[in-house]
Amino acid sequence: MAMKHFIKNHGLALLLTAAMIGGLALAAPALAAEDQFPTKPVKIIVQYSPGGGVDLTARMLAKYAEKHLGKNIVVENRVGGSGVLGVTLVAEAPADGYTLGLVFPFTSVDHKLIDGVKYTGESFAPICMINFDPVFLVVKKGGQYDVDINKLIEMTKASQLTMGVGAIWTPFDYLKLLLEQKYDAKFTRLGFDGGAGVTRALASGDADVGTQYAGEWISYYKAGEMTGVAVANDERLAAFPDVPTFKEKGLDVPSMGTRRFMAAPAGTPENRLKILEEAFMKALADPELAKEFAGMGMSINPGDMETAKQIFADESKLMLGIIDQAGIKHGDPPR
């Protein structure tokens, strides 16, 4: 009798409660579907031309990461302003995880150097660290500049040489400045939108020497058409066994190059960043991807999100210090 009395007096409340619970159960899948990520292809914007080191890195990584992400990853080249256009598009994209880009510590100081740049290091959310690509000083094989690096520097003092540089204010420019400041080398800067343009200029003889990343000129190296005078790394690279380091030749040149990071616009939800991090880190751990990178003369130096954030911040701070010490001012053209 007590139970019947309870149901009679509270039946409506029980029915309403059941209906609410049922409604929540029905709503939960819809809410989960709404929060699922990704539900469409993810885009990586590359700020340099196809065939360069950044482009090759993005395409190889995308190929292996998309199977872990569950959606296609497309690479889109947006060339302009020696990389500024593409980076700006990433910084200003919706912070939803669907637009990514490759950024570098020197990206974070563009606003200190280049007119019109609005992004800073705070404009990006690093997802993972990919690799480190040291700068090579490259010349035509068997040409008049295919000499020891010390002799090449002496040659520039007698007759200024042209140096192909694949972007504005990247490690290419910093290496050029360092050689000029420390060793009184004389180079005329020839600017290009990406490393592929430098490679073509070297092949055609339009540039005497060029600054290159491994993937940009390895096919010419293997074909015996170009050679490296020196590489700005602590040790020789296995894919270029006969290319000496600057240090081997007695020159005080530290490791200089591009440490590449995959990043999203700042403000991208943490849970989406973690999903992307997991997919890219699994790809970077794939031995087949390592083989492809090695075939292009490139290494893999993966770092998770926390590692990437710390190294990106530390190297950005270092770049700012170099700029301030050199007295380079906003708007100064590369020289």
Side-chain angles (χ1 to χ4, degrees), residues 47-48 53-54 81-84 87 102-114 117-122 124 126 131-135 165-175 177 189 192 194-195 211 213 216 255-261 308 311-323 328 334:
Q47 60 270 52
Y48 301 122
V54 178
S82 288
V84 169
V87 177
L102 266 67
V103 298
F104 329 98
F106 59 81
T107 301
S108 67
V109 301
D110 282 348
H111 68 287
K112 296 270 288 185
L113 300 167
I114 305 171
V117 171
K118 297 179 181 179
Y119 57 80
T120 69
E122 300 300 315
F124 308 98
N131 62 3
F132 174 68
D133 212 351
V135 178
V165 177
I168 294 175
W169 291 124
T170 68
F172 297 146
D173 276 313
Y174 293 120
L175 175 62
L177 287 172
R189 185 185 188 280
F192 298 88
T211 49
Y213 292 127
E216 297 168 343
S255 290
M256 300 181 73
T258 294
R259 199 178 298 276
R260 300 188 177 105
F261 299 81
I311 293 178
F312 186 82
D314 290 347
E315 293 198 1
S316 296
K317 184 178 179 180
L318 178 64
M319 288 284 181
L320 286 169
I322 291 172
I323 290 169
I328 298 169

Coordinates of all heavy atoms in Angstrom, one line a residue, residues 47-48 53-54 81-84 87 102-114 117-122 124 126 131-135 165-175 177 189 192 194-195 211 213 216 255-261 308 311-323 328 334:
Q47 N 54.4 27.9 -46.6 CA 54.6 29.3 -47.0 C 55.7 29.4 -48.1 O 56.0 30.5 -48.5 CB 55.0 30.1 -45.8 CG 56.3 29.7 -45.0 CD 56.0 28.7 -43.9 OE1 55.3 27.7 -44.1 NE2 56.5 28.9 -42.7
Y48 N 56.3 28.3 -48.5 CA 57.3 28.3 -49.6 C 56.8 27.4 -50.7 O 55.9 26.7 -50.6 CB 58.6 27.8 -49.0 CG 59.1 28.7 -47.8 CD1 59.4 28.1 -46.6 CD2 59.3 30.0 -48.0 CE1 59.8 28.9 -45.5 CE2 59.8 30.8 -46.9 CZ 60.0 30.2 -45.7 OH 60.4 31.0 -44.7
G53 N 62.5 22.4 -48.7 CA 62.6 21.6 -47.5 C 61.4 21.6 -46.7 O 61.0 20.6 -46.1
V54 N 60.8 22.8 -46.5 CA 59.6 22.9 -45.7 C 58.4 22.2 -46.4 O 57.7 21.4 -45.7 CB 59.2 24.4 -45.5 CG1 57.9 24.5 -44.7 CG2 60.3 25.1 -44.8
G81 N 55.9 37.1 -50.2 CA 56.6 37.8 -49.1 C 57.6 37.0 -48.4 O 57.9 37.2 -47.2
S82 N 58.3 36.1 -49.2 CA 59.3 35.2 -48.6 C 58.8 34.5 -47.4 O 59.6 34.4 -46.4 CB 60.6 36.0 -48.3 OG 61.2 36.4 -49.5
G83 N 57.6 34.0 -47.5 CA 57.1 33.2 -46.4 C 56.1 33.9 -45.5 O 55.3 33.2 -44.8
V84 N 56.0 35.2 -45.5 CA 55.2 36.0 -44.6 C 53.7 35.7 -44.9 O 52.9 35.6 -44.0 CB 55.5 37.5 -44.7 CG1 54.4 38.3 -44.0 CG2 56.8 37.8 -44.1
V87 N 52.5 32.3 -43.5 CA 52.5 32.3 -42.0 C 51.3 33.1 -41.5 O 50.7 32.8 -40.5 CB 53.8 32.8 -41.4 CG1 53.8 32.9 -39.9 CG2 55.0 31.9 -41.9
L102 N 53.7 25.0 -40.7 CA 55.1 24.8 -40.1 C 55.7 26.1 -39.8 O 55.7 27.1 -40.6 CB 56.0 24.1 -41.1 CG 56.0 22.5 -41.0 CD1 54.6 22.0 -41.4 CD2 57.1 21.9 -41.9
V103 N 56.1 26.3 -38.5 CA 56.7 27.5 -38.0 C 58.0 27.2 -37.4 O 58.4 26.1 -37.1 CB 55.8 28.2 -37.0 CG1 54.5 28.6 -37.6 CG2 55.6 27.4 -35.8
F104 N 58.8 28.3 -37.3 CA 60.2 28.1 -36.8 C 60.4 29.2 -35.7 O 59.7 30.2 -35.7 CB 61.2 28.3 -37.9 CG 60.6 27.8 -39.3 CD1 60.1 28.7 -40.2 CD2 60.6 26.5 -39.6 CE1 59.5 28.3 -41.4 CE2 60.1 26.1 -40.8 CZ 59.5 27.0 -41.7
P105 N 61.5 29.1 -34.9 CA 61.8 30.1 -34.0 C 61.9 31.5 -34.6 O 61.5 32.5 -34.1 CB 63.1 29.7 -33.3 CG 62.9 28.2 -33.3 CD 62.3 27.9 -34.7
F106 N 62.6 31.5 -35.8 CA 62.8 32.9 -36.4 C 61.4 33.4 -36.9 O 61.4 34.7 -37.2 CB 63.8 32.8 -37.6 CG 63.5 31.8 -38.7 CD1 62.6 32.2 -39.7 CD2 64.1 30.6 -38.7 CE1 62.4 31.3 -40.7 CE2 63.9 29.7 -39.8 CZ 63.0 30.1 -40.8
T107 N 60.4 32.6 -37.1 CA 59.1 33.1 -37.4 C 58.6 34.1 -36.4 O 58.0 35.1 -36.7 CB 58.1 32.0 -37.5 OG1 58.5 31.0 -38.5 CG2 56.7 32.5 -37.9
S108 N 59.0 33.8 -35.1 CA 58.5 34.6 -34.0 C 59.1 36.0 -34.0 O 58.6 36.9 -33.2 CB 58.7 33.9 -32.7 OG 60.1 33.8 -32.4
V109 N 60.1 36.3 -34.7 CA 60.8 37.6 -34.7 C 60.5 38.4 -36.0 O 61.1 39.5 -36.1 CB 62.3 37.5 -34.4 CG1 62.5 36.8 -33.1 CG2 63.0 36.8 -35.5
D110 N 59.7 37.9 -36.9 CA 59.5 38.6 -38.1 C 58.9 40.0 -37.9 O 59.2 40.9 -38.6 CB 58.5 37.8 -39.0 CG 59.1 36.6 -39.7 OD1 60.3 36.5 -39.8 OD2 58.3 35.8 -40.3
H111 N 58.1 40.1 -36.9 CA 57.5 41.4 -36.6 C 58.5 42.5 -36.2 O 58.2 43.7 -36.3 CB 56.4 41.3 -35.5 CG 57.0 41.0 -34.1 ND1 57.5 39.7 -33.8 CD2 57.2 41.7 -33.0 CE1 57.9 39.7 -32.6 NE2 57.7 40.9 -32.1
K112 N 59.7 42.0 -35.8 CA 60.7 43.0 -35.4 C 61.5 43.4 -36.6 O 62.3 44.4 -36.5 CB 61.7 42.3 -34.4 CG 61.1 41.9 -33.1 CD 61.3 43.0 -32.1 CE 62.7 43.1 -31.6 NZ 62.8 44.1 -30.5
L113 N 61.3 42.7 -37.8 CA 62.2 42.9 -38.9 C 61.4 43.4 -40.2 O 62.0 44.2 -41.0 CB 63.0 41.7 -39.2 CG 63.9 41.1 -38.1 CD1 64.3 39.7 -38.5 CD2 65.1 42.0 -38.0
I114 N 60.3 42.8 -40.4 CA 59.6 43.0 -41.7 C 58.4 43.8 -41.5 O 57.5 43.6 -40.7 CB 59.2 41.6 -42.2 CG1 60.4 40.7 -42.3 CG2 58.6 41.7 -43.6 CD1 60.1 39.2 -42.7
V117 N 54.2 42.9 -40.8 CA 54.0 41.6 -40.1 C 53.3 41.8 -38.8 O 53.7 42.6 -38.0 CB 55.3 40.8 -39.9 CG1 55.1 39.6 -39.0 CG2 55.9 40.4 -41.2
K118 N 52.2 41.1 -38.6 CA 51.4 41.3 -37.3 C 51.6 40.1 -36.4 O 51.3 40.3 -35.2 CB 49.9 41.5 -37.7 CG 49.6 42.7 -38.5 CD 48.1 42.9 -38.8 CE 47.9 44.1 -39.6 NZ 46.4 44.2 -40.0
Y119 N 51.9 39.0 -36.9 CA 52.0 37.8 -36.0 C 53.3 37.9 -35.2 O 54.3 38.5 -35.6 CB 52.0 36.5 -36.8 CG 53.0 36.4 -37.9 CD1 54.3 36.0 -37.6 CD2 52.7 36.6 -39.2 CE1 55.3 35.9 -38.6 CE2 53.6 36.5 -40.2 CZ 54.9 36.1 -39.9 OH 55.9 36.0 -40.9
T120 N 53.3 37.2 -34.0 CA 54.4 37.1 -33.1 C 54.5 35.6 -32.7 O 53.7 34.8 -33.2 CB 54.3 37.9 -31.9 OG1 53.2 37.4 -31.0 CG2 54.0 39.4 -32.2
G121 N 55.4 35.3 -31.9 CA 55.5 33.9 -31.4 C 54.2 33.5 -30.6 O 53.9 32.3 -30.6
E122 N 53.5 34.5 -30.0 CA 52.3 34.2 -29.3 C 51.1 33.9 -30.2 O 50.0 33.6 -29.7 CB 52.0 35.4 -28.4 CG 53.1 35.7 -27.4 CD 53.3 34.6 -26.4 OE1 52.4 33.9 -25.9 OE2 54.5 34.2 -26.2
F124 N 50.9 31.5 -32.2 CA 50.8 30.1 -32.6 C 50.8 29.2 -31.4 O 51.4 29.5 -30.3 CB 52.0 29.7 -33.5 CG 52.2 30.6 -34.7 CD1 53.1 31.7 -34.6 CD2 51.4 30.5 -35.8 CE1 53.2 32.6 -35.7 CE2 51.5 31.3 -36.9 CZ 52.4 32.4 -36.8
P126 N 52.2 25.6 -30.7 CA 53.0 24.5 -31.2 C 52.4 23.1 -30.8 O 51.8 23.0 -29.7 CB 54.4 24.6 -30.4 CG 54.4 26.1 -30.1 CD 53.0 26.5 -29.8
N131 N 61.8 18.3 -36.9 CA 63.2 18.0 -37.2 C 64.1 19.3 -37.2 O 63.6 20.4 -37.0 CB 63.3 17.3 -38.5 CG 62.8 18.1 -39.7 OD1 62.4 19.2 -39.6 ND2 62.9 17.5 -40.9
F132 N 65.4 19.0 -37.3 CA 66.3 20.1 -37.4 C 67.0 20.0 -38.8 O 67.6 18.9 -39.1 CB 67.3 20.1 -36.3 CG 68.4 21.2 -36.5 CD1 68.1 22.5 -36.4 CD2 69.7 20.8 -36.7 CE1 69.1 23.5 -36.6 CE2 70.7 21.7 -36.9 CZ 70.4 23.1 -36.8
D133 N 67.1 21.0 -39.6 CA 67.6 21.0 -40.9 C 68.8 22.0 -41.0 O 68.5 23.2 -41.0 CB 66.6 21.3 -41.9 CG 66.7 20.6 -43.2 OD1 67.8 20.0 -43.4 OD2 65.8 20.6 -44.1
P134 N 70.0 21.6 -40.9 CA 71.1 22.6 -41.0 C 71.3 23.2 -42.3 O 70.9 22.6 -43.4 CB 72.3 21.8 -40.5 CG 72.0 20.4 -41.0 CD 70.5 20.3 -40.8
V135 N 71.9 24.4 -42.4 CA 72.1 25.1 -43.6 C 73.4 24.6 -44.3 O 74.5 24.5 -43.6 CB 72.3 26.6 -43.4 CG1 72.6 27.3 -44.7 CG2 71.0 27.2 -42.8
V165 N 69.6 33.1 -51.6 CA 69.0 32.9 -50.3 C 67.5 32.7 -50.5 O 66.8 33.5 -51.2 CB 69.2 34.2 -49.4 CG1 68.5 34.0 -48.1 CG2 70.7 34.4 -49.2
G166 N 66.9 31.7 -49.9 CA 65.6 31.3 -50.2 C 64.4 31.9 -49.5 O 63.3 31.5 -49.6
A167 N 64.7 32.9 -48.7 CA 63.6 33.6 -47.9 C 64.2 34.8 -47.2 O 65.4 35.0 -47.3 CB 63.0 32.7 -46.9
I168 N 63.4 35.6 -46.6 CA 63.8 36.8 -45.9 C 64.0 36.5 -44.4 O 63.1 35.9 -43.8 CB 62.8 37.9 -46.0 CG1 62.8 38.4 -47.5 CG2 63.2 39.1 -45.1 CD1 61.8 39.5 -47.8
W169 N 65.1 36.8 -43.8 CA 65.4 36.7 -42.4 C 65.1 35.3 -41.9 O 64.4 35.1 -41.0 CB 64.7 37.7 -41.6 CG 65.1 39.1 -41.8 CD1 64.4 40.2 -42.2 CD2 66.5 39.6 -41.7 NE1 65.2 41.3 -42.3 CE2 66.5 41.0 -42.0 CE3 67.7 39.0 -41.3 CZ2 67.6 41.8 -42.0 CZ3 68.8 39.8 -41.3 CH2 68.8 41.2 -41.6
T170 N 65.8 34.3 -42.5 CA 65.8 33.0 -42.0 C 67.3 32.6 -41.6 O 68.2 33.5 -41.7 CB 65.4 32.0 -43.1 OG1 66.4 32.0 -44.1 CG2 64.0 32.4 -43.7
P171 N 67.6 31.4 -41.1 CA 69.0 31.1 -40.8 C 69.9 31.3 -42.0 O 71.1 31.4 -41.8 CB 68.9 29.6 -40.4 CG 67.6 29.5 -39.8 CD 66.7 30.4 -40.6
F172 N 69.4 31.3 -43.3 CA 70.2 31.6 -44.4 C 70.9 33.0 -44.3 O 72.1 33.1 -44.5 CB 69.4 31.5 -45.7 CG 68.8 30.2 -46.0 CD1 67.6 30.1 -46.7 CD2 69.5 29.0 -45.7 CE1 67.0 28.9 -47.0 CE2 68.9 27.8 -46.0 CZ 67.7 27.7 -46.6
D173 N 70.0 33.9 -44.0 CA 70.5 35.3 -43.8 C 71.5 35.4 -42.6 O 72.5 36.1 -42.7 CB 69.4 36.3 -43.7 CG 68.8 36.7 -45.0 OD1 69.6 37.1 -45.9 OD2 67.6 36.7 -45.2
Y174 N 71.1 34.7 -41.5 CA 72.0 34.8 -40.4 C 73.4 34.2 -40.6 O 74.4 34.7 -40.1 CB 71.3 34.2 -39.2 CG 70.1 34.9 -38.7 CD1 68.8 34.3 -38.7 CD2 70.2 36.2 -38.3 CE1 67.7 35.0 -38.3 CE2 69.0 36.9 -37.9 CZ 67.8 36.3 -37.9 OH 66.7 37.0 -37.5
L175 N 73.4 33.1 -41.4 CA 74.7 32.5 -41.8 C 75.5 33.5 -42.6 O 76.7 33.7 -42.4 CB 74.5 31.2 -42.5 CG 75.8 30.5 -43.0 CD1 76.7 30.2 -41.9 CD2 75.5 29.3 -43.9
L177 N 75.3 36.8 -42.7 CA 75.8 37.9 -41.9 C 77.0 37.4 -41.0 O 77.9 38.2 -40.8 CB 74.7 38.4 -41.0 CG 73.6 39.2 -41.7 CD1 72.4 39.5 -40.7 CD2 74.1 40.5 -42.2
R189 N 73.6 39.4 -52.0 CA 72.4 38.6 -51.7 C 71.4 38.6 -52.9 O 71.0 39.6 -53.4 CB 71.7 39.1 -50.5 CG 70.5 38.3 -50.0 CD 69.8 39.0 -48.8 NE 68.8 38.1 -48.2 CZ 67.6 37.9 -48.7 NH1 67.2 38.5 -49.9 NH2 66.7 37.1 -48.1
F192 N 65.1 34.7 -53.1 CA 64.1 33.8 -53.8 C 63.0 33.5 -52.8 O 63.2 33.5 -51.6 CB 64.8 32.6 -54.4 CG 65.8 32.8 -55.4 CD1 67.2 33.1 -55.0 CD2 65.5 32.9 -56.8 CE1 68.1 33.3 -56.0 CE2 66.5 33.1 -57.7 CZ 67.8 33.3 -57.3
G194 N 61.8 30.6 -51.5 CA 61.9 29.2 -51.3 C 63.2 28.7 -51.9 O 63.9 29.2 -52.8
G195 N 63.6 27.5 -51.3 CA 64.9 26.9 -51.7 C 64.9 26.4 -53.1 O 66.0 26.3 -53.7
T211 N 72.6 29.0 -50.3 CA 72.2 28.4 -49.0 C 71.1 27.5 -49.2 O 70.1 27.9 -49.8 CB 71.9 29.5 -48.0 OG1 70.9 30.4 -48.6 CG2 73.1 30.3 -47.6
Y213 N 68.8 23.8 -47.7 CA 68.6 22.7 -46.8 C 68.7 21.4 -47.5 O 68.7 21.3 -48.8 CB 67.2 22.8 -46.2 CG 67.0 24.0 -45.3 CD1 65.9 24.8 -45.5 CD2 67.8 24.2 -44.2 CE1 65.7 25.9 -44.6 CE2 67.6 25.3 -43.4 CZ 66.6 26.1 -43.6 OH 66.4 27.2 -42.8
E216 N 66.5 20.1 -50.4 CA 66.4 21.0 -51.6 C 67.4 20.7 -52.7 O 67.2 21.1 -53.8 CB 66.5 22.5 -51.1 CG 65.4 22.9 -50.2 CD 65.6 24.2 -49.5 OE1 66.7 24.7 -49.4 OE2 64.6 24.8 -49.0
S255 N 75.9 25.5 -35.0 CA 74.8 24.8 -35.7 C 73.7 25.9 -36.1 O 73.2 26.6 -35.2 CB 74.1 23.7 -34.9 OG 75.0 22.6 -34.7
M256 N 73.5 26.0 -37.3 CA 72.5 27.0 -37.8 C 71.6 26.4 -38.8 O 72.0 25.7 -39.7 CB 73.2 28.2 -38.4 CG 74.1 29.0 -37.5 SD 74.9 30.4 -38.2 CE 73.5 31.6 -38.2
G257 N 70.3 26.6 -38.7 CA 69.3 26.0 -39.6 C 67.9 26.1 -39.1 O 67.6 27.0 -38.3
T258 N 67.1 25.3 -39.6 CA 65.7 25.4 -39.2 C 65.2 24.2 -38.4 O 65.3 23.1 -38.8 CB 64.8 25.4 -40.5 OG1 65.1 26.6 -41.2 CG2 63.3 25.4 -40.2
R259 N 64.7 24.6 -37.2 CA 64.0 23.6 -36.3 C 62.6 23.7 -36.6 O 62.0 24.8 -36.3 CB 64.4 23.8 -34.9 CG 64.1 22.6 -34.0 CD 64.5 22.8 -32.6 NE 65.9 23.1 -32.4 CZ 66.8 22.1 -32.3 NH1 66.5 20.9 -32.4 NH2 68.1 22.5 -32.2
R260 N 62.0 22.7 -37.2 CA 60.6 22.9 -37.7 C 59.6 22.4 -36.6 O 59.8 21.3 -36.0 CB 60.4 22.1 -39.0 CG 61.3 22.6 -40.1 CD 61.0 21.9 -41.4 NE 61.8 22.5 -42.5 CZ 62.8 21.9 -43.0 NH1 63.2 20.7 -42.7 NH2 63.5 22.5 -44.0
F261 N 58.5 23.1 -36.5 CA 57.4 22.8 -35.6 C 56.1 22.8 -36.3 O 55.9 23.7 -37.2 CB 57.3 23.9 -34.5 CG 58.6 24.0 -33.6 CD1 59.7 24.7 -34.0 CD2 58.6 23.3 -32.4 CE1 60.8 24.8 -33.2 CE2 59.7 23.4 -31.6 CZ 60.8 24.2 -32.0
A308 N 58.0 21.0 -27.5 CA 57.9 21.9 -28.6 C 57.7 23.3 -28.1 O 58.3 24.3 -28.5 CB 56.8 21.5 -29.6
I311 N 61.1 24.6 -26.4 CA 62.2 24.8 -27.3 C 61.8 26.0 -28.2 O 62.7 26.9 -28.5 CB 62.5 23.6 -28.1 CG1 63.1 22.5 -27.2 CG2 63.5 23.9 -29.2 CD1 63.4 21.2 -27.8
F312 N 60.6 26.1 -28.7 CA 60.2 27.2 -29.5 C 60.4 28.5 -28.8 O 60.9 29.5 -29.3 CB 58.7 27.0 -29.9 CG 58.2 28.1 -30.9 CD1 58.5 27.9 -32.3 CD2 57.5 29.2 -30.5 CE1 58.0 28.8 -33.2 CE2 57.1 30.1 -31.4 CZ 57.3 30.0 -32.8
A313 N 60.0 28.6 -27.5 CA 60.1 29.8 -26.7 C 61.6 30.1 -26.5 O 62.0 31.3 -26.6 CB 59.4 29.6 -25.4
D314 N 62.4 29.1 -26.2 CA 63.8 29.4 -25.9 C 64.6 29.9 -27.1 O 65.4 30.8 -27.0 CB 64.5 28.1 -25.4 CG 64.0 27.7 -24.0 OD1 63.4 28.5 -23.3 OD2 64.3 26.5 -23.6
E315 N 64.3 29.2 -28.3 CA 65.1 29.7 -29.5 C 64.6 31.0 -30.0 O 65.3 31.8 -30.6 CB 65.0 28.6 -30.5 CG 65.7 27.3 -30.1 CD 66.0 26.4 -31.3 OE1 65.6 26.7 -32.5 OE2 66.6 25.3 -31.1
S316 N 63.3 31.3 -29.8 CA 62.8 32.6 -30.2 C 63.4 33.7 -29.4 O 63.8 34.7 -29.9 CB 61.2 32.7 -29.9 OG 60.6 31.7 -30.7
K317 N 63.6 33.4 -28.1 CA 64.3 34.4 -27.2 C 65.8 34.6 -27.7 O 66.3 35.7 -27.7 CB 64.3 33.9 -25.8 CG 64.9 34.8 -24.8 CD 64.8 34.3 -23.4 CE 65.4 35.2 -22.3 NZ 65.3 34.7 -21.0
L318 N 66.4 33.5 -28.1 CA 67.8 33.6 -28.6 C 67.8 34.5 -29.9 O 68.7 35.3 -30.0 CB 68.3 32.2 -28.9 CG 69.7 32.1 -29.5 CD1 70.7 32.6 -28.5 CD2 70.0 30.7 -29.9
M319 N 66.9 34.3 -30.8 CA 66.8 35.0 -32.0 C 66.7 36.5 -31.7 O 67.3 37.4 -32.3 CB 65.7 34.6 -32.9 CG 65.9 33.2 -33.6 SD 67.1 33.4 -34.9 CE 67.1 31.7 -35.5
L320 N 65.8 36.8 -30.8 CA 65.6 38.2 -30.4 C 66.9 38.9 -29.9 O 67.2 40.0 -30.2 CB 64.5 38.3 -29.3 CG 63.1 38.1 -29.8 CD1 62.1 38.0 -28.6 CD2 62.6 39.3 -30.7
G321 N 67.7 38.1 -29.1 CA 68.9 38.6 -28.6 C 69.9 38.8 -29.7 O 70.7 39.8 -29.7
I322 N 70.0 38.0 -30.8 CA 70.9 38.1 -31.9 C 70.5 39.4 -32.7 O 71.4 40.2 -33.0 CB 70.8 36.9 -32.8 CG1 71.4 35.7 -32.2 CG2 71.5 37.2 -34.2 CD1 71.2 34.4 -32.9
I323 N 69.3 39.6 -32.9 CA 68.8 40.8 -33.6 C 69.2 42.1 -32.9 O 69.7 43.0 -33.4 CB 67.3 40.8 -33.8 CG1 66.9 39.7 -34.8 CG2 66.7 42.1 -34.3 CD1 65.4 39.4 -34.9
I328 N 70.0 45.4 -35.7 CA 69.1 45.3 -36.8 C 67.8 46.0 -36.4 O 67.2 45.6 -35.4 CB 68.9 43.9 -37.3 CG1 70.2 43.3 -37.8 CG2 67.8 43.9 -38.4 CD1 70.1 41.8 -38.1
P334 N 67.2 42.6 -45.6 CA 68.3 41.7 -45.5 C 69.5 42.2 -46.2 O 69.4 42.8 -47.3 CB 67.8 40.4 -46.1 CG 66.3 40.5 -46.0 CD 66.0 42.0 -46.2

